[in-house]
Amino acid sequence: MPFDPTTPSSSSSGRLFVVSAPSGAGKTTLCKAARAHLPELVYSISSTTRAPRPGEQEGQDYFFLSEAQFRQGIEDEQWAEWAKVHDHYYGTSARFIDRHLELGQDVLLDIDVQGARQILKRYPSAVTIFIMAPSMDVLRERLVARGQDAASVIEKRLKNAASEIASKDWYQHVVVNDALDVAIEHFIAILKGGAD
Ligand code: 5GP
């Protein structure tokens, strides 16, 4: 058969990375750094029913859906995983993941612990990474300093953080975000396939 570069063989399938972290652990910063460093890495944009935060853009940060639209997606089996996080629905497009993996491109999912479990069931070779702040006190300080959420929302996020941290043991990699540059280096090394 003649060589056709547009038809990837199954062995050239991309790798799927799943990163989870309690809010405030620095996941967004780490993901941004990784994307700048590894421009070929495809970042999956989730859909959510939560309202956009100031500065967030449709199709760039999330696809912002109504609850009816999201539920329709569940019915249509659009989501590779979905979960209710902090009272809102979040989901990852199955078609998006499969298309890029088939093209041989690595895909990064930034999703919560419930979603990560579903992805591992569906894609058993996914590489899972958990990002942690060095302590709960630091986590609280970061959430307050971020100034994005009301006090009651911060308390809720901290409660969720405690239960998410309890799940970190089944992730293959744990990155402790204490010194940011060290954490970025560790994270990128994992995505390149050369770190514990
Ligand atoms: P935020 O509202 O702060 O952007 O995200 C809240 C949480 O939802 C974060 O833990 C984030 O990783 C998670 N999240 C974002 N997108 C998805 C998704 O598609 N699926 C799941 N399960 N969680 C998501």
Side-chain angles (χ1 to χ4, degrees):
M1 224 169 76
F3 173 68
D4 177 359
T6 61
T7 314
S9 70
S10 58
S11 63
S12 68
S13 169
R15 291 170 305 161
L16 184 58
F17 294 99
V18 180
V19 57
S20 305
S23 32
K27 182 179 50 177
T28 308
T29 309
L30 286 175
C31 286
K32 272 194 186 141
R35 290 168 72 183
H37 204 86
L38 304 168
E40 68 284 5
L41 184 67
V42 177
Y43 185 81
S44 160
I45 296 161
S46 297
S47 295
T48 183
T49 59
R50 87 151 160 74
R53 295 197 184 112
E56 284 187 332
Q57 286 188 8
E58 167 74 15
Q60 228 175 68
D61 299 283
Y62 283 103
F63 295 103
F64 295 98
L65 304 187
S66 67
E67 214 165 296
Q69 288 171 316
F70 195 94
R71 286 183 184 284
Q72 189 62 50
I74 298 175
E75 245 176 62
D76 297 344
E77 299 185 357
Q78 261 183 39
W79 313 127
E81 62 73 35
W82 65 271
K84 204 168 187 185
V85 189
H86 313 310
D87 295 335
H88 299 289
Y89 289 102
Y90 293 80
T92 304
S93 159
R95 199 197 293 175
F96 181 92
I97 297 183
D98 293 338
R99 183 161 37 108
H100 288 286
L101 291 179
E102 278 164 23
L103 286 170
Q105 294 166 328
D106 292 347
V107 177
L108 176 64
L109 308 183
D110 163 354
I111 61 177
D112 86 320
V113 169
Q114 309 167 71
R117 277 191 194 278
Q118 296 170 47
I119 288 292
L120 260 190
K121 273 202 190 129
R122 191 172 172 131
Y123 304 89
S125 59
V127 176
T128 51
I129 306 158
F130 193 87
I131 296 170
M132 273 177 67
S135 69
M136 286 300 276
D137 284 345
V138 171
L139 198 61
R140 181 187 297 271
E141 279 166 25
R142 287 181 185 169
L143 286 174
V144 171
R146 194 160 82 169
Q148 277 176 345
D149 300 304
S152 61
V153 174
I154 289 178
E155 286 317 309
K156 192 162 200 178
R157 286 179 182 260
L158 283 170
K159 240 190 184 167
N160 285 349
S163 69
E164 287 196 334
I165 290 167
S167 303
K168 75 172 174 17
D169 291 346
W170 58 262
Y171 280 73
Q172 288 155 29
H173 302 276
V174 176
V175 174
V176 178
N177 184 10
D178 191 355
L180 182 61
D181 50 346
V182 176
I184 289 174
E185 213 172 290
H186 187 187
F187 186 46
I188 289 173
I190 294 165
L191 297 172
K192 284 181 168 171
D196 297 332

